[in-house]
Coordinates of all heavy atoms in Angstrom, one line a residue:
A1493 N 1.7 4.8 17.7 CA 1.0 4.7 19.0 C 0.9 3.2 19.5 O 0.9 3.0 20.7 CB -0.4 5.2 18.8
S1494 N 0.9 2.3 18.5 CA 0.8 0.9 18.9 C 2.1 0.3 19.2 O 2.2 -0.9 19.7 CB 0.1 0.1 17.8 OG 0.9 0.0 16.7
G1495 N 3.2 1.0 19.0 CA 4.6 0.5 19.3 C 5.0 -0.6 18.3 O 5.8 -1.4 18.7
A1496 N 4.5 -0.6 17.1 CA 4.9 -1.6 16.1 C 6.4 -1.5 15.8 O 7.0 -0.4 15.8 CB 4.1 -1.4 14.8
A1497 N 7.0 -2.7 15.6 CA 8.4 -2.7 15.2 C 8.6 -2.2 13.8 O 7.7 -2.3 13.0 CB 8.9 -4.1 15.4
G1498 N 9.8 -1.7 13.5 CA 10.1 -1.3 12.2 C 9.8 0.2 12.0 O 9.5 0.9 12.9
D1499 N 10.0 0.6 10.8 CA 9.8 2.1 10.4 C 8.3 2.3 10.1 O 7.9 1.8 9.1 CB 10.7 2.4 9.2 CG 10.6 3.8 8.7 OD1 9.9 4.6 9.4 OD2 11.2 4.2 7.7
P1500 N 7.6 3.0 10.9 CA 6.2 3.2 10.7 C 5.8 3.9 9.3 O 4.9 3.5 8.7 CB 5.7 4.1 11.9 CG 6.8 4.0 12.9 CD 8.0 3.6 12.1
E1501 N 6.7 4.8 8.9 CA 6.4 5.5 7.7 C 6.6 4.6 6.5 O 5.7 4.5 5.6 CB 7.3 6.7 7.5 CG 6.9 7.6 6.3 CD 7.6 8.9 6.3 OE1 7.2 9.8 7.1 OE2 8.5 9.1 5.4
Q1502 N 7.6 3.8 6.5 CA 7.8 2.8 5.5 C 6.7 1.8 5.4 O 6.2 1.4 4.4 CB 9.2 2.1 5.7 CG 9.5 1.0 4.6 CD 10.7 1.4 3.9 OE1 11.5 2.1 4.3 NE2 10.8 0.8 2.7
Q1503 N 6.3 1.3 6.6 CA 5.2 0.3 6.6 C 3.9 1.0 6.1 O 3.1 0.3 5.4 CB 4.9 -0.2 8.1 CG 6.1 -1.0 8.6 CD 5.9 -1.4 10.0 OE1 5.1 -0.9 10.7 NE2 6.7 -2.4 10.5
S1504 N 3.7 2.2 6.4 CA 2.5 2.9 5.9 C 2.5 3.1 4.4 O 1.5 2.9 3.7 CB 2.3 4.3 6.6 OG 2.2 4.2 8.0
L1505 N 3.6 3.4 3.8 CA 3.8 3.5 2.4 C 3.6 2.1 1.7 O 3.0 2.0 0.7 CB 5.1 4.1 2.0 CG 5.3 5.6 2.3 CD1 6.7 6.0 2.2 CD2 4.4 6.4 1.4
T1506 N 4.1 1.1 2.4 CA 3.8 -0.3 1.9 C 2.4 -0.6 1.9 O 1.9 -1.2 0.9 CB 4.6 -1.3 2.8 OG1 6.0 -1.0 2.7 CG2 4.4 -2.7 2.3
S1507 N 1.6 -0.2 2.9 CA 0.2 -0.5 2.9 C -0.5 0.3 1.8 O -1.4 -0.2 1.2 CB -0.4 0.0 4.3 OG 0.1 -0.8 5.3
L1508 N -0.1 1.5 1.6 CA -0.7 2.3 0.5 C -0.4 1.6 -0.9 O -1.4 1.5 -1.7 CB -0.1 3.7 0.4 CG -0.5 4.6 -0.8 CD1 -2.0 4.9 -0.7 CD2 0.3 5.8 -0.9
C1509 N 0.8 1.1 -1.1 CA 1.1 0.5 -2.3 C 0.3 -0.8 -2.5 O -0.2 -1.1 -3.6 CB 2.6 0.1 -2.4 SG 3.6 1.6 -2.6
Q1510 N 0.1 -1.5 -1.4 CA -0.8 -2.8 -1.5 C -2.2 -2.4 -1.8 O -2.8 -3.1 -2.6 CB -0.7 -3.5 -0.1 CG 0.6 -4.2 0.1 CD 0.8 -4.7 1.5 OE1 0.0 -4.4 2.4 NE2 1.7 -5.6 1.7
Q1511 N -2.7 -1.3 -1.3 CA -4.1 -0.9 -1.7 C -4.1 -0.5 -3.1 O -5.1 -0.8 -3.8 CB -4.5 0.3 -0.8 CG -4.8 -0.1 0.6 CD -5.4 1.0 1.4 OE1 -5.4 2.2 1.0 NE2 -6.0 0.7 2.5
L1512 N -3.1 0.2 -3.6 CA -3.1 0.6 -5.0 C -3.1 -0.6 -6.0 O -3.9 -0.6 -7.0 CB -1.9 1.5 -5.3 CG -1.9 2.9 -4.7 CD1 -0.6 3.6 -5.0 CD2 -3.1 3.7 -5.0
I1513 N -2.3 -1.6 -5.7 CA -2.3 -2.8 -6.6 C -3.4 -3.7 -6.4 O -3.6 -4.7 -7.2 CB -0.9 -3.5 -6.5 CG1 -0.7 -4.1 -5.2 CG2 0.2 -2.6 -7.0 CD1 0.6 -4.9 -5.1
S1514 N -4.2 -3.5 -5.4 CA -5.4 -4.3 -5.1 C -6.7 -3.7 -5.7 O -7.8 -4.3 -5.7 CB -5.7 -4.5 -3.6 OG -4.6 -5.2 -3.1
S1515 N -6.5 -2.5 -6.3 CA -7.7 -1.8 -6.8 C -8.1 -2.2 -8.2 O -7.3 -2.8 -9.0 CB -7.4 -0.3 -6.9 OG -6.5 0.0 -7.9
N1516 N -9.3 -2.0 -8.6 CA -9.8 -2.3 -10.0 C -9.0 -1.5 -11.0 O -8.8 -2.0 -12.1 CB -11.3 -2.0 -10.1 CG -12.1 -3.0 -9.5 OD1 -11.7 -4.1 -9.2 ND2 -13.4 -2.7 -9.2
E1517 N -8.7 -0.3 -10.7 CA -8.0 0.6 -11.7 C -6.6 -0.1 -12.1 O -6.2 -0.1 -13.2 CB -7.8 2.0 -11.2 CG -7.1 2.9 -12.2 CD -7.0 4.3 -11.8 OE1 -7.7 4.7 -10.8 OE2 -6.3 5.1 -12.5
F1518 N -5.9 -0.6 -11.1 CA -4.7 -1.3 -11.4 C -4.8 -2.5 -12.3 O -4.1 -2.7 -13.2 CB -4.0 -1.7 -10.1 CG -2.7 -2.4 -10.3 CD1 -1.5 -1.7 -10.6 CD2 -2.6 -3.8 -10.2 CE1 -0.3 -2.4 -10.8 CE2 -1.4 -4.5 -10.4 CZ -0.3 -3.7 -10.7
L1519 N -5.9 -3.2 -12.1 CA -6.1 -4.4 -12.9 C -6.4 -4.1 -14.4 O -6.2 -4.9 -15.2 CB -7.3 -5.2 -12.3 CG -7.1 -5.8 -10.9 CD1 -8.4 -6.4 -10.4 CD2 -6.0 -6.8 -10.9
Y1520 N -6.9 -2.9 -14.6 CA -7.3 -2.6 -16.0 C -6.4 -1.5 -16.6 O -6.8 -0.8 -17.6 CB -8.8 -2.1 -16.0 CG -9.7 -3.2 -15.6 CD1 -10.3 -3.2 -14.4 CD2 -9.9 -4.4 -16.4 CE1 -11.1 -4.3 -13.9 CE2 -10.7 -5.4 -16.0 CZ -11.3 -5.4 -14.8 OH -12.1 -6.4 -14.4
V1521 N -5.2 -1.3 -16.1 CA -4.3 -0.3 -16.8 C -3.9 -0.8 -18.1 O -3.6 -2.0 -18.3 CB -3.0 -0.1 -15.9 CG1 -2.0 0.7 -16.6 CG2 -3.4 0.6 -14.6

């Protein structure tokens, strides 16, 4: 909707991965 450049699905999955590795659970695996 915002007309962002690039592949929106790939960018969304990248954002998900960034959230996962920023979580406390990731730090204590």
